[in-house]
Amino acid sequence: MPNGNIIVTEERGTRVITLRRPSKKNAITQDMYREMSRAIDTAQNNPDIRCMIITGGSGVFTAGDDIDDFMQAEPNSETLSDGAKFLYSLALNVKPIIAAVDGASIGMGTVMLFHCDYVLASNAATFSAPYIHLGLVPVGAASLLMPNTMGYQRAFAMLVMGRTFTAAEAHAAGFVNTVVSPGHTEVEARKVARDICRLPAEAVAASRKLLRAAPEELTRRIDQEAHLFGERLKSDEAIAAFKAFANRKKR
């Protein structure tokens, strides 16, 4: 069913969550965060849903937060409430999630991949979490999940230096499972989903739980990062960076 810029469909035990805002490169608004949270949360106790896919369609995954939408929110800790709810939904989720990334994956687009269980990317995909360029810190337990997944040095390059990774580099770093041709990520993701749906559901859930960090550990780090993020929003560095961004938009 269509939910504005988020489309949620179901097929053969798989719920597909599609970001559909092509005019803005699928930049995520607070409304979109709420819709994605709802799609994940309502799957938790539904035995008919065995797996989920998050995709942005062909050509782009997401440009990350819609900065204009973000800047219109109240300038306090509540600014992150919808994004934080989405992150909590990911952290507390018990169903396997597959990501299909074709094109640019920026900010939250990259962070959410580390909460997913299987990631497919086209060889045109790129990955970045450039919070540092806005004078900010990582979010979404990225400071925990990224070093654990790809090692400290690669995490430092992405989170502290703001480096962009290619699909090949992401695959080598271990957070992309498979690289495919552009336009084929969603088709291949559905194949992976069918493989997962054929497996014993209770055994999948138990095995997945053993592999992942405890939800309490994830939410604790999400909260810690959110607190620092809120402080950084008030910093001279962040204020200057957001002003520079606004001035670029006016040109």
Side-chain angles (χ1 to χ4, degrees):
M1 59 180 292
N3 291 305
N5 300 123
I6 300 295
I7 299 172
V8 181
T9 58
E10 291 175 20
E11 177 186 340
R12 300 180 184 178
T14 299
R15 175 167 287 181
V16 181
I17 304 168
T18 304
L19 288 79
R20 187 67 74 211
R21 198 184 179 211
S23 63
K24 296 293 185 179
K25 298 182 180 180
N26 291 341
I28 307 172
T29 64
Q30 302 304 303
D31 286 342
M32 292 168 71
Y33 276 129
R34 285 193 290 272
E35 294 299 336
M36 288 192 291
S37 293
R38 185 176 296 113
I40 294 170
D41 294 345
T42 56
Q44 300 306 298
N45 296 316
N46 186 339
D48 294 330
I49 298 173
R50 304 279 296 275
C51 185
M52 286 179 276
I53 295 172
I54 299 178
T55 178
S58 295
V60 65
F61 187 60
T62 173
D65 285 298
D66 183 309
I67 299 297
D68 290 334
D69 182 75
F70 177 84
M71 292 174 71
Q72 288 173 10
E74 291 297 322
N76 55 42
S77 60
E78 292 302 309
T79 298
L80 296 177
S81 60
D82 294 313
K85 183 179 186 304
F86 172 65
L87 291 166
Y88 262 66
S89 295
L90 289 172
L92 301 176
N93 166 62
V94 300
K95 303 287 179 83
I97 298 182
I98 301 163
V101 183
D102 190 3
S105 178
I106 301 172
M108 186 65 79
T110 291
V111 170
M112 73 170 77
L113 301 179
F114 288 83
H115 290 271
C116 294
D117 302 283
Y118 197 102
V119 179
L120 296 103
S122 79
N123 50 29
T126 58
F127 306 86
S128 62
Y131 298 102
I132 195 75
H133 297 312
L134 291 173
L136 303 173
V137 296
V139 298
S143 62
L144 172 67
L145 294 172
M146 286 192 184
N148 287 350
T149 301
M150 58 181 179
Y152 174 84
Q153 283 77 12
R154 286 185 173 117
F156 183 91
M158 179 173 281
L159 293 176
V160 181
M161 299 179 71
R163 293 283 176 83
T164 297
F165 283 40
T166 65
E169 290 169 334
H171 183 260
F175 68 91
V176 166
N177 295 77
T178 307
V179 178
V180 300
S181 300
H184 289 78
T185 55
E186 191 170 328
V187 170
E188 295 301 319
R190 289 175 186 271
K191 292 179 182 178
V192 174
R194 287 196 291 271
D195 288 342
I196 292 173
C197 289
R198 292 189 191 105
L199 298 170
E202 293 181 8
V204 167
S207 298
R208 181 182 182 277
K209 186 176 181 180
L210 288 169
L211 289 172
R212 298 181 65 82
E216 298 80 10
E217 184 179 7
L218 293 175
T219 55
R220 186 163 53 246
R221 184 59 65 92
I222 288 169
D223 291 343
Q224 181 183 5
E225 290 172 344
H227 176 73
L228 292 173
F229 192 99
E231 290 186 341
R232 292 300 307 161
L233 278 174
K234 303 171 188 175
S235 70
D236 292 341
E237 287 180 336
I239 291 169
F242 276 95
K243 285 182 178 178
F245 174 83
N247 289 335
R248 287 197 300 272
K249 292 273 289 185
K250 293 176 182 177
R251 291 175 186 171

